[in-house]
Amino acid sequence: MAETAAKKAKSDRKVALITGITGQDGSYLAELLIEKGYTSSSRPLSLCLVNGFCFVAAVQVHGIIRRSSSFNTGRIAHLFANPVTHEQNKMVLHYGDLTDSTNLVKIVMEVQPTEVYNLGAMSHVKVSFDMAEYTGNVDGLGTLRLLDALRTSGLGDSVRFYQASTSELYGKVQEIPQTEKTPFYPRSPYGVAKLYGYWIVVNYRESYGMHCNNGILFNHESPRRGAFCWPPSRLLPCHLRLVASRRRLHLIMDGRNLPVGETFVTRKITRAVAKIHLGQQESVTLGNLDASRDWGHAKDYVEMMWLMLQQDTPDDFVIATNEEHSVREFVEASFRHIGKEIVWEGEGVNEVGKEKDTGIVRVKISERYYRPAEVERLLGNPEKAKQKLGWTPKISFTELVTEMVEADIKLMRANPLA
Ligand code: NDP
Ligand code: GDP
């Protein structure tokens, strides 16, 4: 009887381990899981030592964070600030890294997760051309290390595993819209590393019967989308030089000039629109305006990650909105929100200029933001997820743009240096 109760308690346990919890998706996912009340129904899960007192904690969500010389928990700080989360010890962070197998085994043994969400990655396509080997190590081999840590720890039969796969696997257009059956043709070191991640997940499912799932997510954004190119503290000093010009910081790497603070195109646009609206900025530079993406909202997409792990059978799913917009359209929608008209200007000009008080904004293009190999079009067909998971995105393109522009206006108004 006692044994059956113990078994049931074990099977009812909901303990999530999230790699990349400090990232955009990790932060939304942690919120979602805490909201869902991840807990052991009857038995507490782990012993914690806090201020010299040993107590049994109902820990629900565990996250792996990297040691950093600067603050990297900004996106989850509000979860700690919430007394309920904090006092009830619902979220616990562990130092770790996807490049460190020993550390992963230790964390997995300690946490005994029932669900693992592998969101940790060097996630920037353009940066992956500069840091190809590192990207392969983290995004490709890191996935293998984590899967193997789970098997080594004897969790292979019980754990459910979510892999953050990506539409970048499709790369060069083979078919539009892209489905789970569309052939892959990655176009960046990031895409190639994620291809390894995708297949090792399938392989562990087929070889060892593990509940391993790939979410092939198309681009998803939010006000929490990454806003920094790469924290300079993580680069070797001999490769970088920081200079201030026109009141902005620039990172000089391998002789090339990368402005710090500009990253994924959506957030780069909404930050610039906010600053132009507030009169804080007069210039920003964009690359290929004709590339198009299927942009969704990160909040919608993390719900699907959770849904995938609640299914009896593991599988791979395309998660997308089935709506395509060019970068140009994203720019237009953003400026429309603040009532500005755009005048487009040709290649080779390095500025987006605002003609003061005319209500007109000039948008210009630089080769600097073009990639060595471009992914021109991504449009996903999420029919399988709709049918099998009952999932549909709730937030529209216009709502996404509006939320991002509004959030950046609020941010820049409060802190012009943000
Ligand atoms: P972010 O870049 O916002 O977050 C990445 C996370 O990974 C951060 O927490 C980062 O830590 C962590 N990380 C980086 N390197 C390592 C490492 N070596 N070991 C452990 N953790 C590490 O990405 P998103 O939240 O946007 O994306 C989540 C996942 O989904 C990623 O794997 C991404 O590639 C994938 N994806 C994202 C899409 C999107 O449109 N957002 C589309 C498809 C897939 P730190 O904060 O310290 O840098
Ligand atoms: P990605 O789809 O993961 O590469 O997401 P990004 O937001 O980085 O880029 C989306 C598309 O926008 C790509 O096709 C880029 O070439 C294009 N793009 C155009 N201008 C820029 C820019 O200034 N910065 C970035 N990051 N992308 C740009």
Side-chain angles (χ1 to χ4, degrees):
M1 186 74 176
E3 202 180 315
T4 322
K7 257 192 191 158
K8 177 162 178 2
K10 199 170 179 207
S11 69
D12 285 350
R13 286 177 69 220
K14 287 282 194 188
V15 183
L17 174 64
I18 306 174
T19 71
I21 195 168
T22 55
Q24 170 188 255
D25 293 6
S27 63
Y28 281 118
L29 181 66
E31 272 170 22
L32 180 82
L33 298 182
I34 287 170
E35 229 174 78
K36 288 193 180 294
Y38 264 47
T39 186
S40 150
S41 61
S42 52
R43 291 291 301 158
L45 307 174
S46 51
L47 287 174
C48 285
L49 194 64
V50 173
N51 294 338
F53 291 101
C54 186
F55 66 96
V56 195
V59 173
Q60 304 171 343
V61 176
H62 294 258
I64 296 183
I65 61 165
R66 294 193 291 172
R67 191 271 155 182
S68 167
S69 63
S70 54
F71 190 59
N72 66 351
T73 48
R75 292 185 181 107
I76 50 173
H78 62 291
L79 292 174
F80 274 111
N82 178 347
V84 176
T85 315
H86 192 64
E87 282 157 21
Q88 295 176 10
N89 204 20
K90 287 184 173 176
M91 186 174 76
V92 170
L93 302 180
H94 307 256
Y95 281 113
D97 199 296
L98 284 161
T99 57
D100 183 345
S101 314
T102 326
N103 157 269
L104 292 175
V105 171
K106 269 195 285 190
I107 293 174
V108 161
M109 298 273 266
E110 186 186 326
V111 171
Q112 297 278 309
T114 58
E115 295 176 6
V116 173
Y117 297 88
N118 185 30
L119 312 184
M122 202 310 286
S123 69
H124 199 281
V125 171
K126 181 123 194 295
V127 175
S128 79
F129 287 96
D130 297 323
M131 306 182 75
E133 181 185 337
Y134 176 75
T135 307
N137 195 7
V138 176
D139 300 13
L141 286 180
T143 308
L144 170 70
R145 288 189 191 100
L146 188 55
L147 285 168
D148 224 53
L150 292 165
R151 280 197 72 227
T152 309
S153 313
L155 297 174
D157 292 339
S158 56
V159 77
R160 296 183 173 200
F161 187 90
Y162 174 84
Q163 168 64 8
S165 284
T166 165
S167 51
E168 288 292 320
L169 296 174
Y170 298 119
K172 194 168 179 180
V173 179
Q174 310 286 301
E175 183 180 40
I176 291 283
Q178 288 115 359
T179 72
E180 292 79 4
K181 295 200 163 65
T182 303
F184 297 139
Y185 193 139
R187 295 268 281 169
S188 62
Y190 169 77
V192 175
K194 284 283 186 177
L195 186 71
Y196 180 89
Y198 173 93
W199 281 115
I200 203 68
V201 161
V202 173
N203 186 254
Y204 269 55
R205 181 165 76 213
E206 293 176 354
S207 305
Y208 308 117
M210 285 176 69
H211 195 294
C212 294
N213 305 266
N214 278 297
I216 308 172
L217 270 58
F218 282 61
N219 296 49
H220 45 280
E221 320 293 312
S222 74
R224 294 186 201 168
R225 187 58 145 153
F228 293 97
C229 177
W230 190 252
S233 59
R234 300 218 177 94
L235 292 169
L236 292 175
C238 58
H239 287 144
L240 74 92
R241 193 156 56 88
L242 274 175
V243 293
S245 81
R246 283 187 287 163
R247 286 180 292 134
R248 307 194 65 197
L249 282 178
H250 288 249
L251 176 68
I252 311 291
M253 193 167 90
D254 297 337
R256 278 172 299 150
N257 185 339
L258 308 168
V260 176
E262 292 169 340
T263 179
F264 298 96
V265 76
T266 54
R267 188 77 201 284
K268 178 172 170 180
I269 295 165
T270 61
R271 281 167 59 88
V273 168
K275 281 181 174 277
I276 288 169
H277 179 63
L278 296 172
Q280 297 171 0
Q281 181 173 320
E282 291 190 356
S283 73
V284 68
T285 313
L286 292 172
N288 180 8
L289 297 172
D290 295 322
S292 68
R293 292 290 182 269
D294 178 329
W295 277 297
H297 196 298
K299 222 173 182 175
D300 271 345
Y301 286 30
V302 298
E303 194 186 338
M304 178 289 317
M305 297 174 187
W306 174 79
L307 266 176
M308 278 175 70
L309 296 202
Q310 310 316 306
Q311 309 306 306
D312 290 336
T313 318
D315 209 340
D316 308 317
F317 293 92
V318 160
I319 302 297
T321 66
N322 200 18
E323 202 180 301
E324 189 180 11
H325 294 275
S326 64
V327 172
R328 188 187 304 275
E329 283 165 358
F330 197 102
V331 176
E332 285 168 344
S334 303
F335 278 110
R336 197 179 308 125
H337 184 70
I338 58 161
K340 295 270 186 243
E341 249 180 71
I342 300 165
V343 175
W344 303 96
E345 297 203 357
E347 282 200 18
V349 191
N350 288 332
E351 290 184 357
V352 174
K354 190 186 83 159
E355 288 182 5
K356 283 196 178 70
D357 306 319
T358 60
I360 292 175
V361 176
R362 285 195 311 261
V363 176
K364 302 179 183 180
I365 304 163
S366 167
E367 290 277 333
R368 198 202 303 162
Y369 294 102
Y370 279 73
R371 281 126 195 233
E374 177 63 293
V375 173
E376 292 293 348
R377 286 185 74 189
L378 291 174
L379 174 66
N381 177 352
E383 202 46 41
K384 182 173 166 186
K386 276 189 184 161
Q387 296 298 328
K388 291 200 170 173
L389 306 177
W391 178 86
T392 44
K394 298 183 194 85
I395 303 167
S396 71
F397 175 75
T398 311
E399 286 166 341
L400 171 70
V401 173
T402 304
E403 186 186 334
M404 288 180 73
V405 172
E406 285 295 328
D408 274 329
I409 290 175
K410 204 169 151 197
L411 178 72
M412 305 308 168
R413 189 172 277 137
N415 179 8
L417 294 176

